[in-house]
């Protein structure tokens, strides 16, 4: 609720951008999708990578036939145009992965009070570059990122994994094939991995769901091996197995305290 309030407050002020920082799987992207769906707003997503170029942001001419080219908008220009019809969230996913700041600088005029951008690549017959405008207050800029190394940077809200009991109850609700006791076991195992300094592989809620869905067919241990461990870098496998503390004692039993794999 606190995170949701802060995000909506930022958006409703009109000229504020919203950045959510947190590890993988803490529902940063999902929160923006949920708000857009509930408010009936447009949502345009752009995944940032080291190779993101200006054309990926603004657009470019693409071939449509022999010697023929047609301009195609990219996410930023698309969002700007859509903002004239209804509120539009333009979300930069994993914005900390920006590689070339000079390429990203092309859209700076969109991020400040100007709400506009020139496209010199697209000119009319007189040679005039097209200028695209966003509707002031109706283009909402959002971004997600993993935690920065600089702990002095302040973000509007830092996302964290939910309390164990909340995550276990949610897992049980989304994957009714496991019991609540099993869900608690799985969340506890995931948290040991998340908090470990020896494993750089955060366990997302989606991976927990995959694990839970496989339990009826494979058992807890084999399902964990398939859905979680094998998804990580091989160098982390043994550490993850140790941290999860899962081992079989007979065909259908998991030994981690007292919890059997099938109840």
């Amino acid at each position: 609720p606190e995170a949701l309030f802060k995000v909506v407050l930022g958006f409703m002020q009109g000229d504020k951008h919203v950045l959510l920082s947190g590890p993988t799987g803490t529902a940063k992207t999902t929160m923006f999708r949920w708000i857009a769906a509930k408010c009936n707003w447009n949502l345009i997503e752009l995944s940032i990578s080291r190779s993101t170029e200006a054309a990926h942001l603004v657009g470019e001419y693409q071939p449509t036939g022999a010697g023929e080219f047609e301009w195609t908008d990219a996410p930023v220009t698309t969002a700007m145009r859509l903002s004239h019809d209804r509120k539009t969230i333009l979300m930069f996913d994993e914005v900390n992965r920006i590689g070339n700041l000079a390429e990203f600088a092309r859209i700076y005029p969109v991020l400040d009070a100007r709400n506009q951008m020139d496209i010199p690549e697209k000119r009319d017959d007189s040679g005039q570059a097209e200028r695209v405008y966003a509707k002031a207050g109706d283009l909402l800029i959002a971004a997600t990122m993993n935690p920065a190394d600089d702990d002095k940077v302040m973000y509007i809200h830092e996302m964290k994994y939910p309390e164990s009991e909340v995550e276990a109850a949610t897992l049980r609700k989304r994957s009714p094939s496991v019991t609540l006791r099993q869900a608690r076991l799985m969340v506890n195992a995931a948290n040991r991995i998340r908090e470990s300094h020896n494993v750089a592989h955060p366990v997302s809620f989606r991976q927990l769901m995959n694990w839970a869905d496989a339990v009826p067919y494979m058992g807890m241990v084999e399902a964990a091996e398939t859905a979680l461990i094998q998804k990580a870098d091989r160098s982390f496998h043994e550490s993850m197995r140790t941290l999860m503390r899962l081992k079989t004692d007979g065909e259908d039993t998991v030994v981690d305290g007292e919890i059997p794999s099938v109840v």
Side-chain angles (χ1 to χ4, degrees):
E2 179 188 2
L4 182 62
F5 174 80
K6 289 184 177 181
V7 170
V8 174
L9 178 64
F11 281 154
M12 298 314 295
Q13 292 187 28
D15 60 347
K16 299 293 188 294
H17 305 326
V18 178
L19 172 64
L20 291 178
S21 173
T24 301
T26 51
K28 301 185 297 295
T29 302
T30 300
M31 179 171 288
F32 290 129
R33 291 172 178 168
W34 186 88
I35 291 172
K38 288 294 182 181
C39 296
N40 195 30
W41 295 346
N42 298 313
L43 174 65
I44 303 297
E45 301 181 31
L46 175 60
S47 296
I48 302 298
S49 69
R50 300 296 180 194
S51 59
T52 298
E53 301 176 356
H56 302 142
L57 305 168
V58 178
E60 61 184 332
Y61 281 100
Q62 296 185 352
T64 57
E68 298 180 353
F69 295 84
E70 183 176 327
W71 177 264
T72 301
D73 280 337
V76 174
T77 40
T78 297
M80 294 176 72
R81 299 186 201 279
L82 288 174
S83 70
H84 291 270
D85 297 323
R86 59 175 171 165
K87 284 187 179 294
T88 299
I89 300 176
L90 172 60
M91 185 189 72
F92 299 98
D93 206 17
E94 304 293 357
V95 72
N96 54 303
R97 294 181 179 176
I98 295 173
N100 190 332
L101 288 175
E103 295 288 305
F104 205 79
R106 280 289 306 276
I107 67 169
Y108 285 173
V110 183
L111 306 179
D112 60 28
R114 287 172 285 181
N115 295 307
Q116 67 181 37
M117 178 176 59
D118 289 336
I119 309 178
E121 299 93 335
K122 188 180 181 185
R123 298 180 180 273
D124 58 23
D125 294 338
S126 66
Q128 182 69 34
E130 180 179 0
R131 175 167 291 178
V132 184
Y133 293 89
K135 186 176 179 181
D138 283 349
L139 179 65
L140 311 172
I141 307 298
T144 71
M145 65 176 287
N146 289 323
D149 294 331
D150 186 356
D151 59 7
K152 296 182 177 63
V153 178
M154 297 299 293
Y155 304 105
I156 188 168
H157 193 82
E158 180 180 355
M159 300 290 285
K160 299 179 180 179
Y161 293 106
E163 295 294 328
S164 296
E165 194 63 25
V166 173
E167 190 169 18
T170 306
L171 179 61
R172 173 71 177 87
K173 183 177 180 181
R174 295 290 298 271
S175 301
S177 56
V178 297
T179 68
L180 181 57
R181 296 177 74 200
Q182 287 175 304
R184 288 169 175 159
L185 168 66
M186 299 164 75
V187 169
N188 288 339
N191 283 335
R192 288 193 291 272
I193 294 174
R194 292 164 176 168
E195 296 166 3
S196 171
H197 297 293
N198 299 322
V199 178
H201 181 76
V203 179
S204 68
F205 184 75
R206 184 176 295 107
Q207 287 181 314
L208 283 177
M209 288 179 55
N210 292 339
W211 181 8
D213 291 341
V215 166
Y217 308 100
M218 308 174 72
M220 288 282 282
V221 176
E222 187 177 349
E225 184 75 26
T226 301
L228 294 185
I229 296 173
Q230 295 302 322
K231 300 296 184 182
D233 187 273
R234 184 169 308 208
S235 62
F236 302 136
H237 287 186
E238 286 306 315
S239 294
M240 291 177 69
R241 293 186 184 106
T242 301
L243 288 164
M244 295 180 79
R245 298 205 293 266
L246 298 177
K247 56 183 178 180
T248 58
D249 181 13
E251 184 177 353
D252 294 322
T253 304
V254 168
V255 178
D256 180 15
E258 57 178 341
I259 304 175
S261 63
V262 178
V263 177

